[in-house]
Amino acid sequence: MKRLRSIFKVSLAKIFFVANYVICAVIFDWDKFFKYLETPARINCHLPPPSSGGHIDFCYGGASIFDLIIILVGAIFCILTLPSIIITETTLEILKKTFPLWCLETHNIISTPILAVINSFYWVCLAHIIELAHAKYLELKPPIKKPLSVFPD
């Protein structure tokens, strides 16, 4: 427990921790979540719904600068969280095998909160490693020599 307290003394860890939950709250599909809560329980909901074709629409021509910034931030977030994404997908596969009668929507809804929790531990550890590496760098860095001057201190 003392080690966990020492990790949270690092200011970068606090920033990463809060930033992780803010980013995950932004990327969470709230419309789908509230729609999921409003639908009554269905029988055989674990069966996949009939697909309407594998059609993907991606329109770049109408993208504004705000959309491009969001895409860039999302790409950086995905690169930084790649280990967490892999662990989250593994966890979801285990949950699908353990609870096969859960609705597919349930697995889709809980994927982002699971990612948020796993990613918060990953980012806090990453911040702690960065702080330790920076402290070691400052320790090994030679002191700055003062230039020669006519008037000594």
Side-chain angles (χ1 to χ4, degrees), residues 2-15:
K2 289 183 179 182
R3 288 206 185 268
L4 189 60
R5 286 187 197 143
S6 68
I7 288 175
F8 276 103
K9 287 182 182 177
V10 176
S11 60
L12 188 61
K14 293 175 190 173
I15 293 169

PDB file of all heavy atoms in Angstrom, residues 2-15:
ATOM      1  N   LYS A   2       2.024   1.177   0.665  1.00  0.00           N
ATOM      2  CA  LYS A   2       2.910   2.344   0.703  1.00  0.00           C
ATOM      3  C   LYS A   2       3.440   2.667  -0.687  1.00  0.00           C
ATOM      4  O   LYS A   2       3.616   3.826  -1.030  1.00  0.00           O
ATOM      5  CB  LYS A   2       4.066   2.105   1.675  1.00  0.00           C
ATOM      6  CG  LYS A   2       3.636   2.113   3.119  1.00  0.00           C
ATOM      7  CD  LYS A   2       4.822   1.945   4.023  1.00  0.00           C
ATOM      8  CE  LYS A   2       4.364   1.969   5.471  1.00  0.00           C
ATOM      9  NZ  LYS A   2       5.488   1.865   6.393  1.00  0.00           N
ATOM     10  N   ARG A   3       3.703   1.631  -1.487  1.00  0.00           N
ATOM     11  CA  ARG A   3       4.191   1.882  -2.846  1.00  0.00           C
ATOM     12  C   ARG A   3       3.119   2.564  -3.693  1.00  0.00           C
ATOM     13  O   ARG A   3       3.428   3.408  -4.514  1.00  0.00           O
ATOM     14  CB  ARG A   3       4.615   0.577  -3.505  1.00  0.00           C
ATOM     15  CG  ARG A   3       5.878   0.017  -2.963  1.00  0.00           C
ATOM     16  CD  ARG A   3       6.527  -0.838  -4.047  1.00  0.00           C
ATOM     17  NE  ARG A   3       7.695  -1.501  -3.545  1.00  0.00           N
ATOM     18  CZ  ARG A   3       8.911  -0.993  -3.638  1.00  0.00           C
ATOM     19  NH1 ARG A   3       9.106   0.157  -4.196  1.00  0.00           N
ATOM     20  NH2 ARG A   3       9.946  -1.656  -3.168  1.00  0.00           N
ATOM     21  N   LEU A   4       1.875   2.190  -3.490  1.00  0.00           N
ATOM     22  CA  LEU A   4       0.794   2.814  -4.233  1.00  0.00           C
ATOM     23  C   LEU A   4       0.668   4.286  -3.862  1.00  0.00           C
ATOM     24  O   LEU A   4       0.449   5.134  -4.721  1.00  0.00           O
ATOM     25  CB  LEU A   4      -0.516   2.080  -3.977  1.00  0.00           C
ATOM     26  CG  LEU A   4      -1.703   2.472  -4.836  1.00  0.00           C
ATOM     27  CD1 LEU A   4      -1.384   2.217  -6.310  1.00  0.00           C
ATOM     28  CD2 LEU A   4      -2.932   1.700  -4.444  1.00  0.00           C
ATOM     29  N   ARG A   5       0.838   4.600  -2.591  1.00  0.00           N
ATOM     30  CA  ARG A   5       0.812   6.006  -2.162  1.00  0.00           C
ATOM     31  C   ARG A   5       1.970   6.777  -2.767  1.00  0.00           C
ATOM     32  O   ARG A   5       1.814   7.930  -3.153  1.00  0.00           O
ATOM     33  CB  ARG A   5       0.856   6.099  -0.646  1.00  0.00           C
ATOM     34  CG  ARG A   5      -0.432   5.717   0.013  1.00  0.00           C
ATOM     35  CD  ARG A   5      -0.380   5.981   1.497  1.00  0.00           C
ATOM     36  NE  ARG A   5      -1.439   5.248   2.148  1.00  0.00           N
ATOM     37  CZ  ARG A   5      -1.335   4.675   3.316  1.00  0.00           C
ATOM     38  NH1 ARG A   5      -0.220   4.752   4.002  1.00  0.00           N
ATOM     39  NH2 ARG A   5      -2.346   4.026   3.842  1.00  0.00           N
ATOM     40  N   SER A   6       3.137   6.144  -2.845  1.00  0.00           N
ATOM     41  CA  SER A   6       4.282   6.850  -3.415  1.00  0.00           C
ATOM     42  C   SER A   6       4.103   7.096  -4.904  1.00  0.00           C
ATOM     43  O   SER A   6       4.587   8.085  -5.441  1.00  0.00           O
ATOM     44  CB  SER A   6       5.576   6.064  -3.159  1.00  0.00           C
ATOM     45  OG  SER A   6       5.579   4.864  -3.891  1.00  0.00           O
ATOM     46  N   ILE A   7       3.384   6.206  -5.580  1.00  0.00           N
ATOM     47  CA  ILE A   7       3.121   6.421  -7.006  1.00  0.00           C
ATOM     48  C   ILE A   7       2.205   7.628  -7.188  1.00  0.00           C
ATOM     49  O   ILE A   7       2.416   8.453  -8.073  1.00  0.00           O
ATOM     50  CB  ILE A   7       2.503   5.155  -7.642  1.00  0.00           C
ATOM     51  CG1 ILE A   7       3.566   4.063  -7.759  1.00  0.00           C
ATOM     52  CG2 ILE A   7       1.908   5.451  -8.997  1.00  0.00           C
ATOM     53  CD1 ILE A   7       3.052   2.746  -8.262  1.00  0.00           C
ATOM     54  N   PHE A   8       1.190   7.772  -6.336  1.00  0.00           N
ATOM     55  CA  PHE A   8       0.263   8.884  -6.492  1.00  0.00           C
ATOM     56  C   PHE A   8       0.816  10.199  -5.962  1.00  0.00           C
ATOM     57  O   PHE A   8       0.171  11.230  -6.083  1.00  0.00           O
ATOM     58  CB  PHE A   8      -1.082   8.568  -5.853  1.00  0.00           C
ATOM     59  CG  PHE A   8      -1.981   7.789  -6.766  1.00  0.00           C
ATOM     60  CD1 PHE A   8      -2.156   6.437  -6.587  1.00  0.00           C
ATOM     61  CD2 PHE A   8      -2.615   8.406  -7.819  1.00  0.00           C
ATOM     62  CE1 PHE A   8      -2.974   5.710  -7.437  1.00  0.00           C
ATOM     63  CE2 PHE A   8      -3.429   7.693  -8.681  1.00  0.00           C
ATOM     64  CZ  PHE A   8      -3.614   6.340  -8.484  1.00  0.00           C
ATOM     65  N   LYS A   9       2.007  10.190  -5.354  1.00  0.00           N
ATOM     66  CA  LYS A   9       2.652  11.446  -4.984  1.00  0.00           C
ATOM     67  C   LYS A   9       3.236  12.135  -6.208  1.00  0.00           C
ATOM     68  O   LYS A   9       3.490  13.319  -6.193  1.00  0.00           O
ATOM     69  CB  LYS A   9       3.754  11.199  -3.947  1.00  0.00           C
ATOM     70  CG  LYS A   9       3.223  10.873  -2.579  1.00  0.00           C
ATOM     71  CD  LYS A   9       4.349  10.683  -1.600  1.00  0.00           C
ATOM     72  CE  LYS A   9       3.792  10.306  -0.240  1.00  0.00           C
ATOM     73  NZ  LYS A   9       4.854  10.031   0.730  1.00  0.00           N
ATOM     74  N   VAL A  10       3.421  11.383  -7.273  1.00  0.00           N
ATOM     75  CA  VAL A  10       3.954  11.928  -8.518  1.00  0.00           C
ATOM     76  C   VAL A  10       2.863  12.752  -9.192  1.00  0.00           C
ATOM     77  O   VAL A  10       1.761  12.268  -9.416  1.00  0.00           O
ATOM     78  CB  VAL A  10       4.420  10.781  -9.448  1.00  0.00           C
ATOM     79  CG1 VAL A  10       4.891  11.309 -10.774  1.00  0.00           C
ATOM     80  CG2 VAL A  10       5.506   9.968  -8.762  1.00  0.00           C
ATOM     81  N   SER A  11       3.167  14.013  -9.492  1.00  0.00           N
ATOM     82  CA  SER A  11       2.153  14.886 -10.073  1.00  0.00           C
ATOM     83  C   SER A  11       1.770  14.448 -11.481  1.00  0.00           C
ATOM     84  O   SER A  11       0.617  14.593 -11.891  1.00  0.00           O
ATOM     85  CB  SER A  11       2.652  16.327 -10.086  1.00  0.00           C
ATOM     86  OG  SER A  11       3.837  16.424 -10.850  1.00  0.00           O
ATOM     87  N   LEU A  12       2.710  13.904 -12.236  1.00  0.00           N
ATOM     88  CA  LEU A  12       2.407  13.430 -13.583  1.00  0.00           C
ATOM     89  C   LEU A  12       1.410  12.271 -13.538  1.00  0.00           C
ATOM     90  O   LEU A  12       0.542  12.160 -14.408  1.00  0.00           O
ATOM     91  CB  LEU A  12       3.696  13.011 -14.289  1.00  0.00           C
ATOM     92  CG  LEU A  12       3.599  12.664 -15.764  1.00  0.00           C
ATOM     93  CD1 LEU A  12       3.114  13.870 -16.558  1.00  0.00           C
ATOM     94  CD2 LEU A  12       4.947  12.204 -16.285  1.00  0.00           C
ATOM     95  N   ALA A  13       1.503  11.437 -12.516  1.00  0.00           N
ATOM     96  CA  ALA A  13       0.558  10.319 -12.371  1.00  0.00           C
ATOM     97  C   ALA A  13      -0.855  10.833 -12.131  1.00  0.00           C
ATOM     98  O   ALA A  13      -1.820  10.290 -12.674  1.00  0.00           O
ATOM     99  CB  ALA A  13       0.987   9.406 -11.228  1.00  0.00           C
ATOM    100  N   LYS A  14      -0.983  11.881 -11.338  1.00  0.00           N
ATOM    101  CA  LYS A  14      -2.307  12.462 -11.097  1.00  0.00           C
ATOM    102  C   LYS A  14      -2.879  13.048 -12.384  1.00  0.00           C
ATOM    103  O   LYS A  14      -4.059  12.886 -12.680  1.00  0.00           O
ATOM    104  CB  LYS A  14      -2.217  13.542 -10.025  1.00  0.00           C
ATOM    105  CG  LYS A  14      -1.877  13.015  -8.657  1.00  0.00           C
ATOM    106  CD  LYS A  14      -1.691  14.154  -7.687  1.00  0.00           C
ATOM    107  CE  LYS A  14      -1.125  13.649  -6.378  1.00  0.00           C
ATOM    108  NZ  LYS A  14      -0.773  14.748  -5.480  1.00  0.00           N
ATOM    109  N   ILE A  15      -2.031  13.719 -13.148  1.00  0.00           N
ATOM    110  CA  ILE A  15      -2.478  14.310 -14.414  1.00  0.00           C
ATOM    111  C   ILE A  15      -2.910  13.214 -15.382  1.00  0.00           C
ATOM    112  O   ILE A  15      -3.967  13.309 -16.014  1.00  0.00           O
ATOM    113  CB  ILE A  15      -1.368  15.188 -15.020  1.00  0.00           C
ATOM    114  CG1 ILE A  15      -1.140  16.412 -14.145  1.00  0.00           C
ATOM    115  CG2 ILE A  15      -1.705  15.599 -16.441  1.00  0.00           C
ATOM    116  CD1 ILE A  15       0.095  17.202 -14.511  1.00  0.00           C
TER     117      ILE A  15
END
